[in-house]
Amino acid sequence: MSIFLNDWAAGGIEELKRDFRITDDDLAGVEILLASYSYANYSGDAFVLFRKDGKYYEVNGWHCSCYGLEGQWEPEEANIKELLHRAATGGLGHNDWCENEFSAELIALLSELTQ
């Protein structure tokens, strides 16, 4: 089950592909777990967590008003316990400037994945 939040809540995967300017080929074998994007105050902030071939990956993107997320689809292997720590005690999912708030949903998802 994929969770799409904030500006991607209505359009889901199609909006994600459009904003990052990626194709179905870029997402081959990918299971999106959580994706959140918000554009406010002339800035955009995005986070995507997905699973592929039994491993977890995250993509982080940011832009000012002059550009978008294009060219920022750069998956990095993710550790679930580290992501949980970053969401619970760090700033992950707490971007009040761009209004990209998703920490509660991410913590709930990650807690399920670690059980």
Side-chain angles (χ1 to χ4, degrees):
M1 178 174 111
S2 300
I3 301 168
F4 290 91
L5 302 170
N6 298 308
D7 291 5
W8 286 337
I13 192 73
E14 293 306 317
E15 287 188 16
L16 180 146
K17 290 187 323 188
R18 183 199 67 219
D19 288 337
F20 276 108
R21 294 193 183 156
I22 59 175
T23 66
D24 289 334
D25 290 341
D26 295 307
L27 297 175
V30 167
E31 176 191 5
I32 301 287
L33 300 174
L34 184 142
S36 183
Y37 172 70
S38 187
Y39 181 83
N41 297 313
Y42 305 104
S43 299
D45 182 67
F47 174 82
V48 180
L49 175 65
F50 67 87
R51 182 173 29 218
K52 181 177 181 178
D53 298 328
K55 295 181 181 180
Y56 295 97
Y57 296 88
E58 66 178 291
V59 175
N60 296 278
W62 178 89
H63 66 88
C64 66
S65 62
C66 302
Y67 302 98
L69 295 172
E70 61 274 354
Q72 295 186 57
W73 184 261
E74 298 178 5
E76 300 176 43
E77 194 167 346
N79 178 290
I80 296 302
K81 289 183 181 180
E82 289 174 8
L83 284 174
L84 186 55
H85 177 76
R86 287 170 45 207
T89 63
L92 183 60
H94 300 282
N95 189 329
D96 58 350
W97 177 256
C98 295
E99 300 175 5
N100 195 18
E101 301 289 326
F102 58 90
S103 63
E105 293 89 347
L106 181 60
I107 289 169
L109 172 66
L110 296 172
S111 296
E112 286 180 27
L113 294 174
T114 57
Q115 292 181 1

